[in-house]
Amino acid sequence: MQISFENPDKVNGLLTITVEENDFKDDVEKTLKDYRKRANVPGFRPGQVPMGMIKRQFGTQVKVDVINKLLGENLDKYITDNKINMLGQPLPHEGQAPVDLEKAAPYTFQFDIAVAPEFEAKLSGRDKVAYYDIKVDDDLIDKQVDMFASRAGSYAKADVYDPEQRDVLKGDLRELDANGNTLEGGITLSDESLMPVYFDDEAEKEKFANAKPGDIITFNPTAAYKGKDTSIAALLKCDRDKVGEHKGDFTFQVTEVSRFVKHEVNAELWEGIYGKDSGIKDEKGFREAIAKGLAEQLKGDSDFKFLQDVRAHVLKKIGKVQYPDELLKRILLANNSKNLKTEEDKKKFIDNNYAGSLETLTWDLAKNQLAEAQKIKVDTPDIKEAAAEMARMQFAQYGMTSIPDEYVAKYAEELLKKPETVQQMADRALDTKLTAALKDVVKLDHKEISLDDFNKMLEEGNK
């Protein structure tokens, strides 16, 4: 077997592999003998089928399989041994003539290789990057206290319906006939829930003003929701195509007014969030715990923005990079071939995605250089910790901040059962370690900012 590699412009590579008869002959013969041992052909005892028949039936396919395996192994080995920094996967050379494996060897195969461009990504104390310190003020703590109190809240009975409180009315719903009597065979629902505040028609909303248990209110669902079949069907518990059969009035007899009440800010609330062993003794301690948690959470947001700014700074320093554009476009199309049916689809996909993919690719290559310069490596414990942190964040979204470590570990283990999640966590772990390292490398330009202004800045940056 002969392998050669041409790379005249440093980014477009052509790898040529010439396969001789001796490279695959023995493996083909061995595989065909195994086929013969297992072949079950009428008229022949097991293992006694003539080899000529086995070769006629399976010879070509076995030869193809063996050569494909041989090509894959040697192609990968050559790229690794020669430290070729390949982008994407090798593609058959566009000028490659079809190889007829029915003919005798040698066979020549050519592959186009996209080679990563050479550039240098370096950072030092001479590089100045903004770092946004998000303020944890009383207003922010108040909002978090309110959120915790709302999540732990519950519904309680009220005397009179108040739409401002988003009250829920419970009662019995009955369909009426043209004379205002209960319609025989009409819709009758018990213990139905109703929120007039979400009606689309103001006049229908007003009918429920100051409603209290025992009141019987006549209203029209079709008018209330202005003919929106989905909303009407949900209220009447009927199919959407049946809504047109129930355009008349209904009565709603109120049996209960239910009002959502936030949890009182007391020991029960903070113990439910932080646990009984948290050491919190009063509301001041509760707010301090919230402030500490917010500071840690917002540090993550600040770090995220910092790495975004590092990326922009590094890409600007690197400038324009030469890529094997036509080959990379072929690779991009090959990776998304299932969704691209026509030439117009392909053109539109490249127009919309190629420039962005190059920027991401340049940053990935630069990021690897920066990580190598800081001697950063990501191993299994880092990936597990990234998954655990993701689990904690997801629990925290539901106000669950004191989840035992064993539950976090179990959830993280479930996350890592998906191969794509493992790669995501590896990328996340690299970003975390690189961010921490680069904060000690570059000169930080600290800027204090409110959370609202910080979020507005991120929104503007994403437009």
Side-chain angles (χ1 to χ4, degrees), residues 10 38 58 81 121 156-157 161 183 206 229 271 276 281 335 362 370 376 395 399 402 434 456:
K10 303 299 183 184
R38 301 193 304 271
F58 302 109
D81 290 348
K157 292 181 181 180
Y161 170 71
L183 178 65
E206 189 60 31
D229 289 351
E271 286 177 2
K276 291 185 177 182
K281 295 180 172 57
N335 290 340
T362 303
L370 294 172
I376 293 173
F395 283 128
S402 57
L434 184 61
K456 287 177 185 176

Side-chain angles (χ1 to χ4, degrees), residues 137-419:
D137 53 25
D138 285 339
D139 182 58
L140 197 55
I141 296 172
D142 288 342
K143 289 178 181 178
Q144 191 73 7
V145 170
D146 186 70
M147 184 270 289
F148 282 139
S150 295
R151 284 182 177 172
S154 60
Y155 279 92
K157 292 181 181 180
D159 296 327
V160 180
Y161 170 71
D162 181 356
E164 296 296 324
Q165 300 289 335
R166 297 292 192 270
D167 289 348
V168 178
L169 295 176
K170 292 186 178 181
D172 300 328
L173 188 71
R174 294 178 184 276
E175 188 172 10
L176 304 180
D177 61 20
N179 297 318
N181 299 314
T182 300
L183 178 65
E184 186 175 350
I187 291 176
T188 300
L189 299 172
S190 298
D191 201 29
E192 177 77 339
S193 293
L194 187 67
M195 294 185 73
V197 70
Y198 292 117
F199 285 173
D200 297 303
D201 185 83
E202 293 298 325
E204 294 295 322
K205 285 184 184 179
E206 189 60 31
K207 292 179 180 180
F208 290 85
N210 300 314
K212 55 187 179 298
D215 288 352
I216 299 176
I217 299 161
T218 300
F219 76 112
N220 188 286
T222 301
Y225 290 111
K226 293 188 175 180
K228 293 179 180 176
D229 289 351
T230 300
S231 298
I232 299 167
L235 173 64
L236 303 183
K237 303 292 190 295
C238 69
D239 295 333
R240 283 186 60 187
D241 57 1
K242 300 291 184 181
V243 165
E245 300 174 10
H246 307 283
K247 291 188 175 182
D249 289 342
F250 283 70
T251 60
F252 188 85
Q253 183 171 3
V254 181
T255 57
E256 181 182 302
V257 180
S258 188
R259 179 171 300 164
F260 183 78
V261 180
K262 295 176 184 178
H263 197 290
E264 185 181 349
V265 179
N266 56 19
E268 185 179 43
L269 178 62
W270 58 66
E271 286 177 2
I273 297 168
Y274 293 103
K276 291 185 177 182
D277 298 327
S278 62
I280 300 173
K281 295 180 172 57
D282 50 27
E283 187 174 347
K284 180 184 177 183
F286 179 43
R287 293 175 66 85
E288 288 174 351
I290 289 175
K292 182 179 178 181
L294 284 172
E296 187 63 30
Q297 176 186 326
L298 296 176
K299 177 179 173 293
D301 294 339
S302 296
D303 285 352
F304 170 77
K305 173 60 176 168
F306 168 73
L307 193 59
Q308 280 191 325
D309 290 343
V310 166
R311 170 177 170 155
H313 180 79
V314 169
L315 291 179
K316 185 177 180 180
K317 285 185 70 174
I318 292 171
K320 185 171 177 58
V321 177
Q322 180 190 2
Y323 280 103
D325 292 315
E326 294 308 312
L327 180 50
L328 284 182
K329 289 176 183 178
R330 285 173 57 201
I331 293 172
L332 196 58
L333 290 173
N335 290 340
N336 295 274
S337 59
K338 290 182 180 179
N339 303 318
L340 306 173
K341 305 300 181 185
T342 66
E343 290 303 315
E344 181 62 27
D345 289 339
K346 295 176 182 178
K347 181 181 182 304
K348 188 179 295 184
F349 181 80
I350 291 297
D351 290 344
N352 292 338
N353 295 280
Y354 185 65
S357 71
L358 283 192
E359 183 176 303
T360 300
L361 181 56
T362 303
W363 170 238
D364 286 342
L365 294 171
K367 190 163 63 171
N368 288 336
Q369 286 189 37
L370 294 172
E372 186 175 345
Q374 299 303 315
K375 297 181 172 54
I376 293 173
K377 292 183 179 180
V378 173
D379 48 28
T380 300
D382 297 319
I383 293 172
K384 288 183 177 180
E385 178 53 35
E389 184 59 30
M390 174 66 74
R392 292 187 194 98
M393 289 175 59
Q394 292 184 4
F395 283 128
Q397 288 177 355
Y398 298 98
M400 304 165 67
T401 58
S402 57
I403 302 298
D405 289 343
E406 60 265 28
Y407 287 102
V408 172
K410 185 175 181 181
Y411 190 81
E413 188 178 328
E414 288 298 316
L415 288 175
L416 293 175
K417 286 183 178 179
K418 297 179 180 178

